[in-house]
Amino acid sequence: MALITIISGKGAPGATTTLAALAATWPAPVLLADCDPDGGDLAPGWLGQWMLAGRIRADVGVLSHATATRHAIAGDPASLIDHVQAVPPARHVGLLAGLSAPGQHAALGLEGWMRLTTALAAFKTQAGQPVDALVDAGRFGVVTPWPLLRAADAVLLAVRPTQRHLLAARPVLTELARRVAPERLALAVCVTTPAGTRAVRTALGRDVAVEVPIDAKTAAVLSESRDAGALPPRSALLRATHDAGLRLHRTYHRYTPAEVRTAAAHRVARSLAGGTR
């Protein structure tokens, strides 16, 4: 499976919107994990109306998993399924809802993040198909969940093509390169143009894994729950993340023969809801 983690520096470059778009257009079953230690915006942003309607629960996710496994010695992938919720606008996506307040990260501690990392890295559907995981690690800082970054196949730093974001990204990249293998570090350039992406690549000296074009209408769906989170049929943003997701999936998800035979399983709504190891 593929484990992709996105992290951001100062400001709001668009990491959460980018991650929601990647999940919505991912070419296989995918687990969307909101692991921002300061409190996540993935569900309130993209799925806010479904939360208000009671279809998505804020109390089921990262914190409930940490509480349920607090006496476990190691992470168990089978323990995760009870804390994953279906995403109504994108049935191939399972949601691990994030913390609802900054102080809640203390309930996890290093051990809790390590258990969660182990569970995410080996999660499977009900049919036994490994599921890719997209992880929002929030803004880089003193409470960054390092186990999730160290275990990731790719760590993407979200940045916008502005001087402020470029200057904020440089020290973050330096610190990430000290703790994560440099070849696993890349950029997610948000709200950009081709010229902006080239400028970011030159300024930061890193490959660009995801390029998210300017598309205010789709961004509002994914960040403000406009239209109940329903994806627009024509979207430059979604086309871009679809292409990026396909490349990431092909690079990091290594199929077994059994998986190839069941490659169409992601079209079945129940393939993720109720999945277990």
Side-chain angles (χ1 to χ4, degrees):
M1 60 163 289
L3 180 61
I4 312 296
T5 299
I6 290 185
I7 192 166
S8 62
K10 292 181 180 179
T16 298
T17 300
T18 298
L19 202 66
L22 277 171
T25 56
W26 201 255
V30 66
L31 184 56
L32 182 59
D34 190 342
C35 298
D36 185 343
D38 289 324
D41 291 325
L42 265 173
W46 182 19
L47 307 169
Q49 291 190 38
W50 297 99
M51 294 183 74
L52 289 172
R55 293 283 299 277
I56 297 288
R57 291 176 54 185
D59 61 336
V60 176
V62 170
L63 185 59
S64 64
H65 177 264
T67 302
T69 61
R70 62 186 180 277
H71 298 304
I73 297 175
D76 177 8
S79 69
L80 194 57
I81 190 59
D82 292 335
H83 309 276
V84 174
Q85 303 177 70
V87 172
R91 300 296 292 177
H92 68 290
V93 180
L95 171 71
L96 189 69
L99 306 176
S100 56
Q104 290 180 339
H105 69 80
L108 277 81
L110 179 61
E111 294 79 7
W113 289 121
M114 291 177 66
R115 293 195 304 274
L116 179 58
T117 299
T118 301
L120 285 171
F123 188 71
K124 293 187 178 183
T125 66
Q126 191 174 30
Q129 183 182 6
V131 175
D132 296 329
L134 301 176
V135 178
D136 186 349
R139 189 172 72 176
F140 181 84
V142 295
V143 293
T144 291
W146 283 106
L148 287 165
L149 275 67
R150 292 193 180 100
D153 294 297
V155 176
L156 310 182
L157 176 64
V159 60
R160 289 194 185 195
T162 68
Q163 292 181 1
R164 180 170 66 92
H165 282 98
L166 291 174
L167 290 172
R170 283 177 171 172
V172 176
L173 278 173
T174 299
E175 185 62 25
L176 288 173
R178 291 178 54 210
R179 306 197 193 191
V180 177
E183 64 271 15
R184 293 193 287 117
L185 293 177
L187 303 173
V189 186
C190 311
V191 196
T192 188
T193 63
T197 301
R198 289 194 296 271
V200 170
R201 184 186 292 111
T202 299
L204 298 181
R206 292 283 173 183
D207 290 336
V208 175
V210 181
E211 181 178 358
V212 182
I214 299 170
D215 184 345
K217 180 179 178 180
T218 304
V221 171
L222 297 168
S223 64
E224 302 295 337
S225 195
R226 183 173 294 178
D227 299 329
L231 304 174
R234 296 180 180 84
S235 164
L237 190 158
L238 295 180
R239 286 197 302 272
T241 55
H242 171 270
D243 293 345
L246 194 60
R247 290 193 299 270
L248 289 168
H249 177 72
R250 286 174 173 172
T251 300
Y252 297 113
H253 189 114
R254 293 166 178 83
Y255 283 98
T256 66
E259 287 178 77
V260 173
R261 290 195 300 271
T262 60
H266 70 277
R267 297 186 179 92
V268 183
R270 68 172 185 275
S271 67
L272 199 57
T276 184
R277 183 175 177 81

